[in-house]
Amino acid sequence: MQRVLTVTHSPQALEPVLQAVRSLGFDPELADKVTRPAGISCSGSKAESACGSCCAPAAVTSGELQAQQLTADGVRTSIRIRQMDCPVEEGMIRKKLDGMSAVKELDFNLMQRVLTVVHAPGTLEPVLAAIRSLGFEPELSDSSGRHAATEEKKNPWWPLALAGVAAAAAEAMHWTGMPEWLEAVLALAAVGACGLSTYKKGWIALRNGNLNINALMSIAVTGALALGQWPEAAMVMVLFTIAELIEAKSLDRARNAIGSLMTLTPETATIQQPDGSWTVADARSVPLDSVVRVKPGERIALDGRVVRGRTSINQAPITGESLPIEKGEGDPVFAGTVNGSGGFEYRVTAAAGNTTLARIIHAVEEAQGAKASSQRFVDRFAQVYTPVVFAIAVAVAILPPLMAGESWHEWVYKALVMLVIACPCALVISTPVTIVSGLTAAARRGILIKGGIYLEEGRKLKWLALDKTGTLTHGKPVQTDVIIYTWVAEDEGRRLAASLAGYSDHPVSQAVTAALEGSQRYDVERFEALPGRGVRGVINDRTYSLGNLRLAEETSSCPETVRATLRELESAGKTVILLCDSHQVLGLFAVADTVKESSREAVSQLHGLDVRTLMLTGDNSSTAQAIAVQVGIDEARGNQLPEDKLRAIETLTAQGTTGMVGDGINDAPALARADIGFAMGAMGTDTAIETADVALMDDDLRKIPAFVRLSKQTYSILVQNIVMAIGIKAIFLALTIAGMGTMWMAVFADVGASLLVVANGLRLLRK
Ligand SMILES: Nc1ncnc2c1ncn2[C@@H]1O[C@H](COP(=O)(O)OP(=O)(O)OP(=O)(O)O)[C@@H](O)[C@H]1O
Ligand SMILES: [Zn+2]
């Protein structure tokens, strides 16, 4: 999509790689920070370990660094090859490079037109030379370091216009019965004016034993000329050239969609100098911990934390939610978001290449690499389609005249038409265009999907398991009741609870701490957090615990009167923790959390999409039940330890596609096991963005039904595209064999199909 090839090669081997790419007729540019943020380019398990070193090696210029990384296997270089967007071209390059001993690994991204090569140090140049020998122009980085900025080389338009006029004139000669030599001259002029680059590319492909669209068109046009179909040959070449131009334009739209997210961040930021004055600096060069000033209405350039001022910020570029969020001292702000009416200053917490927005863009780019199953099908299909149609064409040209004495002229012509139909471009481009549009559309709404595969699977979601605290509820409970039993002094009870709870960041403990703000605290020794239960520690040589009934029963005896009170509070939807010493219960603390309005809506939308919902919570069953009723959830299970949640997910995945959404603390194993793991509130948390299958940037659960709907739309567009691409070809194949297809009709069909699928895929972006 971004037309980037990543090559792993040995240090100092960049130039040979570049040359090889150039030898294929491509113009390589080293990829840029912006497209591939240097700070996070060491993604993927393999590269992780080498992260430290990838930014260190000497003797590589900084420009090269952006496109190259050292890995365990060698050097990884991304090479952009503009002319590469057909699997036939991928096949050509693969065949050539696979034969080179220096090349360890190849990874193609046709949408980005990027080849990533892992190669031995010092072998980049031969790699590039090999690519160039195929007539491509491999690009590493240019000096400005910006991919998107480098425009396509502009071909002058007049040769094409001239060719069009000549072709039309030839056609007119034909109809008005002018001498044939005039037709021939005009047709040859037209083909010469617009078809030379097609011939050149076609010839290189043929020489390397490949049939790409250029080779097919060259043969077809040459054949038509040989048959004396002058005007038709000229028309076909002109139409094909125009079509290629239009197709390239519309594909660029899909490619640029992701890049356009990046343009959300301003190029400059106003930073404070050591002497206190303010200067405008390039956002990319602002060091961490700098203080940046933001004017009202200005876009924020980098991630940071507010140090002075109050304002409200529209975070829609990241969360997809345009309601302004209030921000004051200490609150995080994000690059790309828009400041409201207050001016403020913030301290930079992430460099330009490492901001939340940059990570999102990077994740979307990576996601295209993970091929969806429809794409794998299409790629396999295309691999056999072209050779098969070519073989049929050869048979059509030779057999009927030889076996049945039919006219050579007629059957060779039919075969030539079939060659035009043999290009699988429309089919091949249909899937990635659709997936990329879907991924980008999702990212714009604050839904970060980590692979085309999840976008494709989302529509199959049968079950969604949800955690309660923080997912369905606000996760900020407040204390509602305190009961201290008479066998302990009221103050002492509160003080013990506050001391224990103060050490924990569990929401329940925090609610208790907040309510007991004023009371004094004891020092706690041997403090322990017991997941799914509570906390325990030693105060003045005695062990106390604060946690749920499970924990109370483990440490002391729990009389029926206490249980009765507990049941009563819980049936009101409250969460109760018990303060115990090693003999008895000393007190009860009840907290209540409120349900998010958006959760209720999300659950009903999910039910409308035929997704069943299940609440899995560590909290007790009565509270779980009470909250489930409030939210409208199908089924609720309480007292779930992390391993219980995991087991529940395992059972569900056996029945159908299962998603799990949680805040990731006690849900991590279940999230990982689910077919689709959703992380909430990913904004600002690196781990959620990096580990979840789908990261929701804020904590609005309605993003999940939105994701399911998008997945359904994407899938139906995928199916439409595949059917359309194959269908159109099939119809023309049939017409041709029946003798009704002409060559220019076939060109129209081929190009029309490509344009249709691209336009259809881009519809997702408009949603
Ligand atoms: N650190 C703690 N302080 C106080 N109580 C705790 C603590 N840890 C666990 N508990 C008690 O154990 C219960 C289960 O905790 P757990 O963290 O598994 O789930 P939860 O946060 O209540 O809910 P969910 O699973 O929906 O996120 C809590 O409801 C609380 O009563
Ligand atoms: Zn093609």
Side-chain angles (χ1 to χ4, degrees):
M1 255 316 267
Q2 300 304 327
R3 305 185 248 185
V4 171
L5 161 67
T6 307
V7 183
T8 302
H9 55 85
S10 43
Q12 289 147 55
L14 180 61
E15 202 33 49
V17 175
L18 290 180
Q19 259 172 36
V21 178
R22 262 176 232 128
S23 73
L24 297 177
F26 299 119
D27 255 337
E29 294 163 16
L30 285 172
D32 161 48
K33 274 214 261 300
V34 178
T35 348
R36 208 154 271 270
I40 55 170
S41 55
C42 307
S43 58
S45 46
K46 231 188 320 154
E48 216 88 307
S49 56
C51 252
S53 61
C54 77
C55 308
V60 186
T61 70
S62 63
E64 289 172 349
L65 259 183
Q66 291 162 8
Q68 296 191 282
Q69 291 163 32
L70 277 177
T71 71
D73 310 337
V75 187
R76 218 180 147 76
T77 307
S78 297
I79 303 171
R80 185 150 76 129
I81 303 171
R82 285 219 178 96
Q83 301 89 329
M84 172 183 85
D85 45 16
C86 186
V88 176
E89 281 134 17
E90 167 179 337
M92 245 164 94
I93 298 177
R94 189 179 285 286
K95 209 158 118 194
K96 189 99 185 177
L97 293 188
D98 267 348
M100 297 174 64
S101 58
V103 175
K104 310 253 161 64
E105 208 183 297
L106 292 171
D107 180 31
F108 288 86
N109 183 335
L110 291 182
M111 268 308 271
Q112 299 194 359
R113 303 193 217 167
V114 170
L115 163 63
T116 307
V117 185
V118 178
H119 54 92
T123 58
L124 181 59
E125 200 40 49
V127 171
L128 293 182
I131 299 178
R132 258 176 238 131
S133 76
L134 296 175
F136 299 116
E137 292 160 38
E139 303 167 12
L140 295 178
S141 191
D142 64 352
S143 50
S144 80
R146 213 170 240 241
H147 256 21
T150 47
E151 274 301 302
E152 298 286 299
K153 252 187 240 150
K154 279 254 176 327
N155 284 323
W157 57 272
W158 59 264
L160 179 57
L162 218 68
V165 172
E171 193 79 52
M173 302 283 149
H174 184 72
W175 290 110
T176 51
M178 301 293 257
E180 199 178 326
W181 66 265
L182 245 172
E183 257 177 63
V185 168
L186 283 168
L188 286 173
V191 171
C194 72
L196 282 183
S197 79
T198 304
Y199 269 107
K200 189 180 147 213
K201 290 183 212 156
W203 171 239
I204 295 173
L206 277 180
R207 223 179 42 204
N208 288 281
N210 285 286
L211 289 167
N212 66 1
I213 179 73
N214 295 302
L216 294 171
M217 289 304 299
S218 305
I219 300 175
V221 170
T222 312
L225 291 173
L227 290 180
Q229 304 281 353
W230 306 109
E232 181 147 21
M235 262 324 192
V236 165
M237 192 48 101
V238 170
L239 281 178
F240 173 71
T241 313
I242 295 176
E244 291 275 282
L245 276 178
I246 301 177
E247 191 185 311
K249 279 253 151 37
S250 50
L251 264 182
D252 276 344
R253 268 195 59 201
R255 290 196 181 96
N256 293 336
I258 302 167
S260 71
L261 292 173
M262 197 67 218
T263 60
L264 292 174
T265 49
E267 308 254 305
T268 58
T270 312
I271 64 168
Q272 190 164 37
Q273 299 298 107
D275 66 1
S277 66
W278 298 92
T279 49
V280 174
D282 185 343
R284 278 177 292 182
S285 66
V286 174
L288 288 184
D289 286 330
S290 311
V291 173
V292 178
R293 187 168 70 183
V294 184
K295 288 199 283 278
E298 191 179 331
R299 252 181 215 278
I300 296 161
L302 298 155
D303 283 7
R305 273 182 193 283
V306 177
V307 289
R308 197 166 306 131
R310 293 202 65 83
T311 188
S312 62
I313 291 181
N314 179 347
Q315 306 197 118
I318 289 183
T319 62
E321 172 57 67
S322 55
L323 270 185
I325 307 288
E326 294 296 320
K327 302 269 179 177
E329 226 161 280
D331 288 335
V333 295
F334 300 94
T337 59
V338 187
N339 186 21
S341 53
F344 71 97
E345 289 161 24
Y346 67 92
R347 190 175 296 283
V348 175
T349 54
N354 225 350
T355 60
T356 300
L357 188 63
R359 282 167 186 274
I360 292 175
I361 293 163
H362 183 67
V364 175
E365 283 178 2
E366 296 266 288
Q368 305 160 34
K371 286 189 177 171
S373 52
S374 59
Q375 193 168 348
R376 279 197 297 273
F377 159 76
V378 162
D379 287 354
R380 268 201 310 272
F381 182 89
Q383 263 165 25
V384 293
Y385 173 78
T386 306
V388 166
V389 176
F390 191 80
I392 296 178
V394 171
V396 162
I398 297 176
L399 296 184
L402 277 189
M403 318 279 280
E406 300 268 345
S407 116
W408 279 96
H409 191 285
E410 181 189 338
W411 288 91
V412 169
Y413 179 76
K414 280 185 189 173
L416 293 177
V417 178
M418 291 178 70
L419 288 188
V420 178
I421 304 175
C423 182
C425 277
L427 179 62
V428 162
I429 208 70
S430 66
T431 328
V433 153
T434 311
I435 296 280
V436 158
S437 303
L439 294 174
T440 310
R444 282 187 188 165
R445 280 177 236 177
I447 306 168
L448 186 54
I449 305 170
K450 300 293 287 296
I453 175 134
Y454 302 112
L455 185 57
E456 222 181 279
E457 294 287 292
R459 78 198 159 88
K460 295 192 204 148
L461 212 58
K462 280 271 157 332
W463 278 98
L464 180 70
L466 309 103
D467 147 82
K468 175 177 72 72
T469 312
T471 302
L472 288 163
T473 65
H474 285 106
K476 296 197 172 55
V478 284
Q479 185 174 298
T480 53
D481 306 77
V482 182
I483 298 166
I484 307 285
Y485 290 105
T486 47
W487 40 91
V488 57
E490 174 89 28
D491 271 5
E492 175 70 0
R494 287 173 187 263
R495 188 171 173 181
L496 287 169
S499 311
L500 283 170
Y503 280 88
S504 166
D505 52 10
H506 192 280
V508 176
S509 271
Q510 286 192 331
V512 172
T513 319
L516 302 180
E517 185 80 59
S519 53
Q520 292 205 311
R521 306 246 188 115
Y522 288 115
D523 283 339
V524 179
E525 287 164 58
R526 283 189 272 145
F527 176 86
E528 274 178 285
L530 310 159
R533 294 184 184 78
V535 295
R536 186 163 55 199
V538 176
I539 297 171
N540 296 334
D541 296 328
R542 295 181 64 176
T543 303
Y544 293 92
S545 69
L546 180 69
N548 57 10
L549 184 62
R550 195 192 294 248
L551 179 62
E553 282 173 336
E554 280 169 18
T555 47
S556 60
S557 68
C558 200
E560 185 47 38
T561 48
V562 173
R563 288 173 195 269
T565 322
L566 194 77
R567 273 198 299 273
E568 194 184 316
L569 290 166
E570 285 179 347
S571 58
K574 293 171 182 173
T575 302
V576 185
I577 49 173
L578 305 89
L579 173 69
C580 308
D581 63 13
S582 44
H583 309 291
Q584 56 189 344
V585 179
L586 307 177
L588 299 183
F589 298 81
V591 305
D593 200 353
T594 45
V595 164
K596 284 186 267 182
E597 193 49 46
S598 58
S599 310
R600 206 187 321 244
E601 229 178 278
V603 167
S604 89
Q605 287 183 19
L606 281 168
H607 290 165
L609 291 163
D610 285 328
V611 180
R612 313 221 343 119
T613 49
L614 166 68
M615 180 203 288
L616 295 174
T617 176
D619 210 343
N620 72 85
S621 300
S622 337
T623 313
Q625 213 57 53
I627 301 280
V629 170
Q630 283 182 44
V631 192
I633 267 185
D634 288 329
E635 199 184 319
R637 290 187 208 158
N639 295 316
Q640 300 278 304
L641 295 172
E643 55 271 30
D644 300 324
K645 293 189 178 189
L646 176 62
R647 226 167 301 125
I649 294 292
E650 272 169 354
T651 319
L652 288 182
T653 46
Q655 296 171 26
T657 308
T658 302
M660 162 93 195
V661 50
D663 43 20
I665 305 160
N666 52 3
D667 317 313
L671 277 173
R673 183 65 184 78
D675 296 310
I676 307 180
F678 296 89
M680 281 211 318
M683 187 163 61
T685 62
D686 308 342
T687 42
I689 294 187
E690 254 115 76
T691 57
D693 299 328
V694 177
L696 313 178
M697 299 318 286
D698 59 9
D699 54 10
D700 188 340
L701 272 184
R702 286 173 299 186
K703 290 193 159 56
I704 295 182
F707 163 78
V708 175
R709 278 192 298 267
L710 187 68
S711 168
K712 289 190 193 241
Q713 286 163 359
T714 306
Y715 185 74
S716 68
I717 290 187
L718 276 177
V719 171
Q720 288 163 16
N721 274 354
I722 292 175
V723 168
M724 205 145 63
I726 297 183
I728 292 177
K729 299 268 162 165
I731 291 172
F732 272 84
L733 204 58
L735 279 179
T736 309
I737 293 175
M740 291 189 286
T742 64
M743 209 186 263
W744 64 263
M745 269 162 73
V747 175
F748 259 139
D750 184 50
V751 171
S754 293
L755 291 181
L756 270 176
V757 298
V758 171
N760 199 25
L762 287 175
R763 272 199 306 153
L764 284 171
L765 277 180
R766 249 175 278 134
K767 288 249 160 72

